[in-house]
Amino acid sequence: MSRVVDVDTDGKLWVGASERGLMSYDGSKWETYEIESISSSLFSQGVKVDEGDGTVWSAMSNGMGEGFGYIDPEGWHSVSLASESFRDATGDSFSSLAIADDGCKWMGLYGGRVCRFINTDDYQVIDLSDREPSEMSTCWSNDVHAGPDARMWVACHHSIYAIGANGDVEETHIPLGDEDGEITCFLHDGDAIWIGTSKGGLLRWESGQLGRVNLSAGVVEITMKPDDSDAPAYDVTGRRVESVVPGNIYIKAGRKFVAH
């Protein structure tokens, strides 16, 4: 199961997957980089290329000592196995990964936390919220990005957090409904924040207003199969119609179509 991808400075595609570890594709062949403690419960949640030196980093859930590390020409190197204190502080299970402009690695953690990593002797675990621990104890920091304003941005539950250089955290609460679930991914384009949710929604947050993006807007044509032509047509309220009006939506043989 391929989950995350990135492209390195040589144009090689890197894929993070479950069960297989990490893979790369150079345009002609695939190569798999097995990780010793790999198991069916290990999922790569982030693959990012450090453009400064070309090193490929990966963060995984259910790490079992291999949750965070990097690949270089010599193979896979586990940072988690190299530092017991780092492994204990992070839980060795990660939900997202980003690399800031200064080269720091940022990983989303369980319990509404995020980790800023320079090396095994220089890292910081940051709580996103000062709420009671019980409110954030079951929340993953699902996505993290370097924002357009030199801050790091993190999505967790129903909020997006911006973290400044001095570690201060600013929360933006997104008024999601039950039909949305929680925020799983986002992108800040400098003007608006585009938000993906766990129940398949795509939202746009700008100037304190939440808009919903109609994913069906990309449909350019809907046609019926020839053998459905004699089936009765119904409007969207379920009433049978004898004739259709171009541009309106109808149901025929269990399928929706736009009359034309």
Side-chain angles (χ1 to χ4, degrees):
M1 182 189 296
S2 301
R3 298 175 62 85
V4 286
V5 297
D6 201 6
V7 179
D8 68 17
T9 52
D10 295 324
K12 182 183 291 186
L13 176 69
W14 289 85
V15 179
S18 64
E19 301 185 33
R20 296 292 299 279
L22 298 173
M23 297 173 285
S24 67
Y25 181 67
D26 64 3
S28 61
K29 67 180 185 302
W30 285 93
E31 186 170 355
T32 300
Y33 305 82
E34 298 288 355
I35 298 174
E36 290 184 4
S37 68
I38 205 79
S39 74
S40 60
S41 62
L42 185 66
F43 291 90
S44 182
Q45 303 284 33
V47 173
K48 295 293 181 183
V49 176
D50 189 334
E51 295 184 359
D53 58 14
T55 302
V56 178
W57 292 78
S58 181
M60 308 180 192
S61 62
N62 298 326
M64 298 176 295
E66 298 276 10
F68 176 61
Y70 62 94
I71 284 180
D72 62 14
E74 298 179 358
W76 169 255
H77 303 268
S78 173
V79 171
S80 298
L81 284 178
S83 172
E84 183 176 353
S85 61
F86 173 79
R87 191 165 66 249
D88 290 343
T90 61
D92 195 36
S93 192
F94 308 91
S95 54
S96 50
L97 169 67
I99 300 179
D101 292 340
D102 60 3
C104 291
K105 285 69 183 177
W106 290 77
M107 291 85 70
L109 304 178
Y110 192 60
R113 302 177 302 149
V114 67
C115 177
R116 175 181 177 270
F117 176 87
I118 298 177
N119 55 56
T120 54
D121 296 319
D122 190 358
Y123 61 87
Q124 179 185 13
V125 174
I126 300 170
D127 290 316
L128 295 176
S129 175
D130 57 3
R131 301 175 194 166
E132 291 297 323
S134 59
E135 294 187 37
M136 301 290 285
S137 59
T138 60
C139 299
W140 283 98
S141 297
N142 287 322
D143 202 7
V144 55
H145 293 283
D149 57 359
R151 295 188 293 179
M152 296 301 297
W153 292 70
V154 185
C156 184
H157 197 41
H158 290 175
S159 295
I160 296 178
Y161 301 83
I163 305 174
N166 59 358
D168 60 304
V169 180
E170 179 182 338
E171 178 181 3
T172 299
H173 178 73
I174 309 298
L176 301 180
D178 292 338
E179 71 277 10
D180 297 313
E182 66 177 3
I183 301 171
T184 55
C185 56
F186 75 100
L187 184 64
H188 198 322
D189 66 9
D191 296 317
I193 303 175
W194 298 83
I195 298 169
T197 71
S198 59
K199 295 188 178 180
L202 177 61
L203 312 174
R204 186 174 189 269
W205 175 264
E206 184 176 14
S207 302
Q209 300 295 318
L210 184 65
R212 299 181 183 277
V213 180
N214 182 7
L215 294 179
S216 67
V219 177
V220 295
E221 184 178 13
I222 301 176
T223 60
M224 300 297 297
K225 293 182 179 179
D227 59 355
D228 291 334
S229 58
D230 293 332
Y234 300 85
D235 64 20
V236 292
T237 66
R239 295 178 299 184
R240 183 169 176 170
V241 297
E242 297 300 326
S243 60
V244 298
V245 177
N248 287 354
I249 298 175
Y250 297 92
I251 301 169
K252 182 183 285 190
R255 301 182 181 90
K256 289 183 178 180
F257 71 98
V258 178
H260 61 279

